[in-house]
Amino acid sequence: MWGEVVLVAVGGAIGTAARAGLTLALGDDLGPALVPLINVAGAFAIGILFGWRARMPESSRAQRAQLFLGTGVLGGFTTYSALAVESTDLALLWWGVATVIVGTAAAWAGVWLGRGKRAAR
């Protein structure tokens, strides 16, 4: 169990560092649009991972990959807490609502893509 916790923690640190890097590189250019873009991209990637994982046979290796990549890296990359803080400004509340709706659609599209041809059968 502790090995799984370490996988999630290391993955989370990598995902958080990637988000922080994007924020430093693009934050001035994209402003408040950056957090929703990160969250939608992360939701899409999590959907792809979920769809891909659904095609795989159960194994401890696949479980560890999901913990590291999904819960860790992509969980650290997305930041719904920052979105919630931005949404406390009533003028930006629509950002939060739109991000949740678009993020859900992106996750569904990712699942569809991740499942691939096998989902059509």
Side-chain angles (χ1 to χ4, degrees):
M1 178 175 159
W2 283 106
E4 293 171 345
V5 171
V6 170
L7 283 173
V8 172
V10 171
I14 292 168
T16 302
R19 177 176 28 92
L22 282 175
T23 301
L24 290 172
L26 303 173
D28 290 341
D29 295 332
L30 296 176
L34 183 61
V35 170
L37 289 172
I38 286 172
N39 287 337
V40 169
F44 180 69
I46 289 170
I48 290 174
L49 179 64
F50 182 81
W52 169 74
R53 179 75 171 89
R55 295 185 333 185
M56 298 182 72
E58 289 295 320
S59 73
S60 61
R61 184 177 181 184
Q63 174 74 21
R64 288 190 306 271
Q66 181 176 350
L67 286 171
F68 176 73
L69 294 171
T71 307
V73 174
L74 295 172
F77 182 70
T78 58
T79 175
Y80 281 92
S81 59
L83 180 69
V85 170
E86 285 182 1
S87 297
T88 59
D89 178 1
L90 292 180
L92 292 177
L93 180 60
W94 69 275
W95 273 115
V97 173
T99 300
V100 171
I101 292 168
V102 174
T104 301
W108 276 103
V111 168
W112 179 79
L113 185 64
R115 287 190 176 167
K117 294 178 183 177
R118 196 178 247 185
R121 294 181 187 171

